[in-house]
């Protein structure tokens, strides 16, 4: 009799049948969705343009889950181009088959569908989903993905009176195909035309005076860092991409491309309406979007100047980033305290230093990592690995340290090999004069240090090895570096990419192959029965 059998027997014996059944059911909860992706026409910045909708919604439907929920989501592609969604921050434990990027999945052809099956295993927090194909993200198709706590797990803050999801995105009036053509022809994108909050220029959030609300804020844009603030109100930071933080108060927060935060806001001001403001950071031209926080007993419109943004300089932002701390005594999705994992006491098995660069290859603008500019093969890497198809990717095409020689950048399908259970130190070295934002699929990681100049091993003395937060996306400041520590406990093929979409699209990405020779369902699930095949595995038999 398995554990489940014992639990069931226990339930019957002690006649707490109803309670136990509820818990068993919660354990096994399955949630089914059918999402249809179409084009639509909307005017988010005042002029009509083609957007990508899911079930007729822009942004797409909010995916509200509870920790350990199993999602069965049939995605029907009614666009005229192949399409995939990726679940940003969902760790896909043992299951990179469902990651929804071109290195793991064949794109869903037009007028076709694919049913994702994944579990929000041991996760809690504010996440997102978005299209990983082409420049589809520039047209929408994205949405909030919130994972709520199980009732048996406590939260390190009082239960909020309500919950708002705010997706903030820089936005172009130009369609995604024209943007893509511009990149394909070797030209950078221009600066975006505006900022949207939940796909609109005007949104109103309603709350009651005296109550406390959770604001889940995500930067869904293509490139710009944004600053978020609310007139007359402080933000109490409680969660960053699945980490419960020390609950500091902030007047505003910098949210870099691909990042998410949860804050609590108490409506403790006099009854009126207040401006919610998002504005671009570190840009010569500043784009600003506003929404309204409406007190239900308010009879006065929002008034007065918008709360001003923080100083332009990067040091303000770095200081803020360093102030984010793990609450060591708080639990996250599981009952054990976050601090019971002493990441700072583990000696990394290797160090990888990744330097981004802009490059001209064959006369066109590209971006590279350690002088390799990534290209997607026709066959997903994960499937090439599974079906033993040689020649799709090479594990020696990219060095794990930048080379300082004059060699020019090359095009390749770059993969860094790792063994399951490696514990790695990754340094993102940014020798360019622009902000970077790096995202890793399949994991969260500790962001242990930010600095300026060239990283050297001596910089390790400045690391936070006690209470750094774990997250899935880390910013790197211009002419600076950021170090993360990653426990590679999730077998699979995992995308490490720039969250700045032009850079990702033009080659600033690669894959980490986390591999073990021992094939076991305890470390990786079987290839899904409904796997889509394409490229060189097209003729292969389904599993
Ligand atoms: C497409 O949807 C059908 C149900 O309408 C489902 O049975 C099938 O498995 C889906 N295809 C894939 C590849 O997931
Ligand atoms: C840390 O979490 C605990 C719950 O375990 C909570 O009571 C406490 O207020 C949090 N501490 C800070 C400084 O945020």
């Amino acid at each position: 009799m398995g554990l489940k059998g014992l639990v069931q027997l226990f339930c019957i014996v002690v006649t707490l049948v109803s309670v136990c059944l509820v818990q068993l059911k919660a354990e096994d909860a399955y949630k089914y969705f059918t999402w249809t992706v179409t084009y639509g026409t909307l005017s988010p910045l005042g002029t009509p343009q083609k957007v990508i909708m899911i079930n007729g919604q822009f942004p797409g439907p909010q995916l509200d889950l509870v920790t350990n929920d199993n999602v069965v989501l049939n995605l029907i592609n009614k666009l005229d181009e192949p399409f995939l969604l990726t679940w940003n921050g969902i760790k896909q434990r043992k299951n990179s088959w469902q990651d929804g990027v071109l290195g793991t999945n064949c794109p869903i052809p037009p007028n076709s569908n694919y049913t994702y099956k994944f579990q929000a295993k041991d996760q809690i927090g504010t996440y997102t989903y978005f299209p990983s194909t082409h420049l589809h993200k520039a047209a929408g198709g994205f949405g909030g993905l919130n994972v709520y706590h199980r009732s048996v797990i406590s939260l390190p803050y009082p239960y909020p009176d309500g919950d708002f999801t705010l997706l903030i995105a820089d936005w172009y009036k130009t369609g995604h195909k024209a943007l893509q053509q511009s990149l394909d022809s070797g030209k950078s994108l221009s600066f975006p035309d505006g900022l949207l909050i939940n796909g609109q220029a005007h949104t109103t959030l309603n709350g009651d005076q005296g109550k406390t609300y959770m604001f889940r804020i995500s930067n869904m844009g293509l490139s710009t860092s944004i600053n978020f603030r609310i007139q007359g109100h402080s933000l109490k930071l409680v969660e960053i991409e699945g980490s419960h933080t020390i609950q500091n108060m902030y007047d505003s927060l910098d949210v870099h491309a691909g990042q998410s935060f949860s804050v609590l806001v108490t409506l403790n001001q006099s009854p009126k309406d207040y401006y919610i403001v998002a504005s671009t950071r570190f840009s010569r031209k500043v784009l600003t979007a506003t929404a309204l926080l409406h007190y239900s007993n308010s009879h006065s419109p929002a008034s007065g100047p918008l709360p001003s943004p923080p100083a332009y300089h990067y040091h303000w932002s770095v200081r803020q980033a360093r102030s984010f701390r793990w609450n060591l005594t708080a639990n996250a999705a599981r009952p054990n305290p976050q601090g019971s994992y002493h990441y700072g006491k583990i000696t990394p098995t290797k160090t990888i230093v990744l330097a981004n660069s802009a490059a001209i290859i064959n006369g066109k603008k590209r971006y590279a990592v350690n002088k390799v500019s990534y290209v997607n093969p026709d066959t997903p890497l994960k499937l090439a690995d599974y079906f033993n198809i040689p020649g799709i990717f090479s594990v020696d095409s990219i060095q794990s340290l930048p080379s300082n020689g004059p060699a020019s950048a090359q095009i390749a399908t770059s993969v860094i090999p790792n063994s399951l259970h490696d514990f790695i130190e990754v340094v993102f070295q940014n020798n360019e004069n622009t902000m970077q934002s790096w995202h890793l699929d399949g994991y969260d990681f500790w962001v242990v240090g930010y600095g300026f100049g060239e990283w050297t091993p001596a910089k390790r003395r400045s690391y936070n090895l006690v209470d750094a937060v774990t997250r899935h996306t880390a910013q790197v400041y211009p002419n600076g570096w950021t170090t993360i520590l990653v426990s590679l406990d999730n077998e699979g093929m995992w995308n490490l990419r720039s969250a700045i979409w032009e850079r990702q699209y033009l080659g600033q990405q690669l894959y980490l192959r986390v591999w073990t020779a021992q094939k076991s369902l305890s470390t990786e699930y079987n290839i899904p029965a409904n796997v889509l095949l394409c490229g060189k595995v097209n003729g292969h038999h389904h599993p």
Side-chain angles (χ1 to χ4, degrees), residues 81 134-135 175-185 505:
E81 295 182 318
H134 301 289
L135 265 280
H176 69 280
K177 287 187 186 177
L179 294 175
Q180 184 187 340
Q181 270 161 22
S182 169
L183 294 180
D184 289 345
S185 73
Y505 183 77

Side-chain angles (χ1 to χ4, degrees), residues 34 73-76 112-117 529-532 542:
T34 301
L73 189 147
N74 196 355
L75 187 63
I76 302 166
S112 185
N113 71 292
Y114 174 69
T115 306
Y116 288 87
K117 296 187 183 120
N530 65 335
V531 66
L532 296 177
H542 274 74

Side-chain angles (χ1 to χ4, degrees), residues 189-367:
L189 300 181
S190 54
F191 192 65
D193 298 310
L195 275 188
L196 300 178
I197 300 181
N198 291 346
Q200 299 173 38
H202 307 282
T203 304
T204 299
L205 308 180
N206 299 300
D208 297 333
Q209 192 181 24
K211 290 192 174 166
T212 298
Y213 296 86
M214 173 91 113
F215 283 67
R216 300 169 177 272
I217 306 149
S218 295
N219 184 336
M220 299 298 302
L222 294 194
S223 63
T224 56
S225 295
I226 55 166
N227 180 268
F228 178 86
R229 50 202 187 270
I230 305 178
Q231 187 183 35
H233 292 75
S234 301
L235 314 172
K236 182 191 269 190
L237 181 67
V238 294
E239 184 251 340
I240 298 177
E241 295 159 22
S243 276
H244 281 145
T245 62
I246 294 292
Q247 294 165 17
N248 295 324
M249 305 297 294
Y250 296 90
D251 289 334
S252 74
L253 283 172
D254 278 352
V255 193
H256 304 280
Q259 295 184 336
S260 300
F261 288 90
S262 301
V263 298
L264 295 177
V265 179
T266 300
L267 272 53
N268 55 6
Q269 299 298 303
S270 54
K272 67 190 247 345
D273 292 2
Y274 295 88
Y275 292 115
I276 297 169
V277 185
S279 60
T280 56
R281 285 288 267 154
F282 317 126
S283 53
R284 225 166 302 146
K285 182 177 169 198
V286 177
L287 301 173
T288 302
T290 57
L292 290 177
L293 175 58
H294 172 74
Y295 279 44
S296 56
N297 56 347
S298 155
H299 297 290
S300 324
S303 60
L306 297 184
S308 43
Y312 183 100
H313 56 74
Y314 295 106
H315 286 93
W316 184 97
S317 188
V318 180
R319 240 187 343 265
Q320 177 171 86
R322 288 188 182 130
S323 75
F324 301 149
R325 297 297 171 98
W326 234 14
N327 182 334
L328 297 176
T329 62
N331 56 274
R334 296 212 276 183
N336 54 314
Q338 296 179 132
S340 58
Y341 196 96
H342 299 281
Y343 69 92
K345 297 220 160 73
I346 303 169
T347 307
T349 42
K350 65 176 166 182
T351 296
I352 298 171
V353 182
L354 300 175
N356 51 280
S357 60
I360 302 289
I361 302 180
N362 302 328
K364 287 181 178 168
K365 173 143 209 175
R366 300 280 306 180
Y367 295 95

